[in-house]
Amino acid sequence: MQNSATPTHCPYCALQCGMNLTPAADGTVEVTERADFPVNRGALCGKGRTAPAVLSSRMRLTSPLVRSGDGTLVPASWDEALDRVAAGLARARAGHGPDAVGVFGGGGLTNEKAYALGKFARVVLGTSQIDYNGRFCMSSAAAAGMRAFGLDRGLPFPLKDVPRTGCVILVGSNPAETMPPALRYFSELRANGGTLIVVDPRRTRTAEQADLHLAPRPGTDLALALGLLHLVVAEGRVDEEYVRERTSGWEEARAAAMAHWPEYVERITGVSVPQLREAVRMFCAPKAAMVLTARGPEQQSKGTDTVGAWINLCLATGRAGRPLSGYGCLTGQGNGQGGREHGQKADQLPGYRKLTDPVARRHVAEVWGVDPDSLPGPGRSAYELLDALGTDIRALLLMGSNPVVSAPRAAHVEERIRSLDFLAVCDVVLSETAALADVVLPVTQWAEETGTTTSLEGRVLLRRRAVTPPEGVRSDLQVLHGLAARLGADRGLEKGFPTDPEAVFEELRRASAGGLADYSGITYRRLAEENGVFWPCPAPAGADGEAPGAAAGGETGPVHSGTPRLFLDRFATEDGRARFAPVAHRAAAEEPDEEYPLLLTTGRVVAQYQSGAQTRRVAELNAAAPGPFVELHPRLAARLGAAEGDPVAVVSRRGRAVAPARITGAIRPDTVFMPFHWPGEGRANTLTNPALDPTSRMPEFKVCAVRVEAVASY
């Protein structure tokens, strides 16, 4: 074990906060401030401070597990475990074809692991059936960004620009709980004289900081954005010169917005006309402004159009592709951005290339040393893949995800997982999904391995190995290497799956070269020396992308410095213009009725993360957030006869969840809220609706019809 401080990054959210890790003699690991990293400037939330707790061998898996004859999971050697996985995958492929094997990844995997997993699925298994849980994160924002700008990167500018703008509209985001170190940017914005507008059906800790809080009915963010754009037009606030010179499609988008007059929008959303007018005044008054969205508007069956409407507001007012202005998405998962850029998404190849593009297929196939025609086409999206388990898909390899807790309609997903012929799970802990597996492979985690991630800013970062993993644990790259050797040794495919992360990154650089997400000019050396590099960062022709002034391969000109700010000269579309989206409000996939008269929305709490598979094992975090709850307005609680802490049941068309009542005036009377970090009886995703956005294939996590019932005990 090392005994000096190692500068690295937190394993949790997409801020990827900088920290120092120092192993102690007693086997614990100390976290200390790393003030040199510009994003968090030393600040850490409780999850970051306690992250090393899960490194303890007492909390995690340290031996492969295989399903025994009596149905229990028992320890096994690595050779036996890998042999079983290879046999299970091969058996399904031989009996039912390549697409009978599925691969499901995670937004917490490093770029190297995401890249290798996508390559493994397409080259070794030959399957099209690969997607990842990042589909549940920001896919609607990604689709809308691609449609409008020709490129998707969470933020097209660094976070440090936020305090310097004039106004921010923060839509469906609660950074006070989801990424606390980021809240300072909004506090600094207000301290500098700027204003903050928060759009959220709950008066969250973030909304408490706002100059204006708009609390729309869940599922009506699209109407709200259209109503604001209507007022921009009606009040003569359109930047006509900008629209004429830098955009296309305005007339159609304008006509759609004009059908959403303020009084109509007030009836749909519950946001009053005076509040709508005040929001427009605040947004348009300063020279520069931003709109930032998160899961609230994105996790809807119309999430792509909803984000598109907020982008329209930016474009009509000239607030995109200009300094200190623009639209951005606050990515959730630690590597949600990089995870989809490099090949574990159903329709994409490394470098954010389209799997259906013949030029892209040729480029990547050449790097991989395979025939482009051998690469499968696009497969199912995440929920559709999970829904096909046990029928079309007979075997599944799963890395870094826990869909038994995190997927919508979770009881159904659990049933589909149980129906598989074979399931292999790579994880740090025995998650609820891993507990159902035929083989569980214990893998290294953030502080035990080196690799890169891409933050919500589009900043590629180097997470460094700080401690030695326990004996009996291997990296995901070693797992893929071992499986490739067993499944493709006759073609030498195992040689294409190195176990050294830097070697994988060097191949990723070549595969991404020339793509939208071009990492070819980025090296581990640069990441260490420059505290990260913003993509796109192409390499000079003939160079290897070394640090400025040190390019190898002869005199090739200056090395690209990275791109902190996108679109200042032109957008990434063919004609360089941003595209308006002609969108109109439509109802949620499931609206309240007599049987289910309320709306459920879900989200996170500050002390837990995602499915909670790791954070629920940390005593300090569990003390702060020990279990699920149902947030109710006092009027609704009174109708139920429920007091604070009383058990209540939330029932949807998909199931029933029970948790204690938390009574607060901070939520709308027609809405209930549940956090989604827990399994069992309080599993919020038992209730959620898998209705999919037609473009992004994002499920409608954020709104479904429910009723609430008092229960005697539980």
Side-chain angles (χ1 to χ4, degrees), residues 570-704:
R570 68 190 309 273
F571 295 98
T573 56
E574 288 185 4
D575 59 6
R577 292 173 172 266
R579 305 185 188 99
F580 281 94
V583 296
H585 170 71
R586 60 184 186 272
E590 187 176 81
E591 292 285 348
D593 57 20
E594 186 174 341
E595 187 177 4
Y596 301 97
L598 301 168
L599 291 168
L600 169 71
T601 191
T602 64
R604 285 171 48 188
V605 297
V606 66
Q608 301 289 353
Y609 182 71
Q610 301 301 76
S611 75
Q614 295 186 40
T615 53
R616 283 187 276 112
R617 287 167 164 80
V618 179
E620 180 180 330
L621 300 179
N622 277 336
F629 58 86
V630 181
E631 200 170 85
L632 309 171
H633 189 274
R635 293 209 298 268
L636 175 57
R639 290 204 304 271
L640 294 169
E644 180 77 14
D646 285 352
V648 295
V650 184
V651 185
S652 78
R653 290 178 173 85
R654 288 152 296 280
R656 182 177 189 266
V658 179
R662 182 173 293 183
I663 301 171
T664 174
I667 193 167
R668 292 173 54 98
D670 59 1
T671 301
V672 296
F673 167 84
M674 289 188 72
F676 54 68
H677 309 290
W678 288 273
E681 196 172 25
R683 181 174 59 185
N685 278 319
T686 296
L687 308 167
T688 48
N689 190 354
L692 300 180
D693 180 287
T695 302
S696 68
R697 316 308 288 170
M698 167 73 84
E700 192 152 58
F701 285 100
K702 288 301 181 189
V703 51
C704 70

Side-chain angles (χ1 to χ4, degrees), residues 199-242:
V199 179
D200 200 306
R202 304 165 62 225
R203 190 163 183 80
T204 63
R205 289 172 55 199
T206 303
E208 291 284 355
Q209 307 297 314
D211 298 281
L212 177 64
H213 173 214
L214 307 180
R217 182 176 177 268
T220 65
D221 308 89
L222 175 52
L224 178 62
L226 289 164
L228 297 179
L229 183 54
H230 178 110
L231 286 170
V232 165
V233 176
E235 296 176 3
R237 299 180 185 270
V238 176
D239 187 332
E240 301 285 359
E241 181 181 1
Y242 173 93

Side-chain angles (χ1 to χ4, degrees), residues 540-544 548-559:
D544 69 353
E555 193 67 34
T556 58
V559 168

Side-chain angles (χ1 to χ4, degrees), residues 553-566:
E555 193 67 34
T556 58
V559 168
H560 198 287
S561 60
T563 313
R565 296 171 182 85
L566 298 169

Side-chain angles (χ1 to χ4, degrees), residues 272-598:
S272 70
V273 172
Q275 284 185 309
L276 295 173
R277 293 189 183 279
E278 178 64 5
V280 168
R281 185 197 66 77
M282 290 170 63
F283 185 66
C284 294
K287 181 179 179 181
M290 298 173 179
V291 172
L292 305 178
T293 68
R295 306 303 79 74
E298 298 163 17
Q299 287 181 326
Q300 298 184 31
S301 60
K302 52 182 182 292
T304 302
D305 284 354
T306 300
V307 174
W310 288 103
I311 292 174
N312 286 352
L313 182 66
C314 289
L315 296 178
T317 53
R319 306 303 176 88
R322 284 179 167 173
L324 306 181
S325 286
Y327 163 78
C329 166
L330 298 179
T331 310
Q333 295 188 78
N335 197 32
Q337 181 72 49
R340 71 178 176 282
E341 292 169 1
H342 298 300
Q344 66 171 333
K345 193 162 174 272
D347 57 349
Q348 288 177 193
L349 288 169
Y352 220 132
R353 289 180 158 90
K354 283 292 183 185
L355 193 52
T356 53
D357 178 1
V359 175
R361 292 170 67 89
R362 284 197 300 272
H363 174 86
V364 174
E366 183 177 356
V367 173
W368 289 350
V370 299
D371 184 341
D373 292 337
S374 71
L375 298 179
R380 292 174 172 90
S381 70
Y383 178 77
E384 292 166 304
L385 189 157
L386 295 171
D387 189 42
L389 299 180
T391 53
D392 294 341
I393 299 173
R394 310 300 289 266
L396 180 69
L397 173 64
L398 187 146
M399 279 189 174
S401 186
N402 188 17
V404 165
V405 178
S406 63
R409 197 185 173 195
H412 171 74
V413 169
E414 180 177 345
E415 177 186 296
R416 300 319 312 148
I417 289 173
R418 289 180 182 274
S419 73
L420 282 163
D421 295 344
F422 181 81
L423 171 64
V425 173
C426 301
D427 210 330
V428 174
V429 298
L430 191 67
S431 70
E432 287 73 21
T433 305
L436 304 180
D438 297 283
V439 179
V440 184
L441 302 175
V443 291
T444 52
Q445 53 180 312
W446 63 291
E448 300 164 349
E449 59 187 12
T450 294
T452 62
T453 63
T454 305
S455 75
L456 79 172
E457 300 178 298
R459 188 195 301 254
V460 185
L461 302 165
L462 183 64
R463 279 205 315 222
R464 299 168 176 88
R465 173 170 163 157
V467 299
T468 303
E471 186 178 352
V473 172
R474 296 186 183 181
S475 73
D476 293 286
L477 295 179
Q478 289 174 310
V479 168
L480 294 176
H481 177 89
L483 292 177
R486 286 163 171 81
L487 291 167
D490 57 326
R491 292 185 289 159
L493 288 176
E494 78 278 6
K495 297 176 183 176
F497 290 86
T499 59
D500 173 44
E502 188 168 8
V504 178
F505 190 79
E506 288 301 302
E507 185 179 311
L508 182 157
R509 291 176 59 205
R510 298 195 302 275
S512 74
L516 288 173
D518 191 336
Y519 284 30
S520 61
I522 304 174
T523 64
Y524 272 30
R525 173 180 166 185
R526 287 192 63 182
L527 295 177
E529 293 177 352
E530 300 175 34
N531 241 339
V533 177
F534 292 87
W535 72 261
C537 183
D544 69 353
E546 282 295 330
E555 193 67 34
T556 58
V559 168
H560 198 287
S561 60
T563 313
R565 296 171 182 85
L566 298 169
F567 312 137
L568 295 180
D569 298 318
R570 68 190 309 273
F571 295 98
T573 56
E574 288 185 4
D575 59 6
R577 292 173 172 266
R579 305 185 188 99
F580 281 94
V583 296
H585 170 71
R586 60 184 186 272
E590 187 176 81
E591 292 285 348
D593 57 20
E594 186 174 341
E595 187 177 4
Y596 301 97
L598 301 168

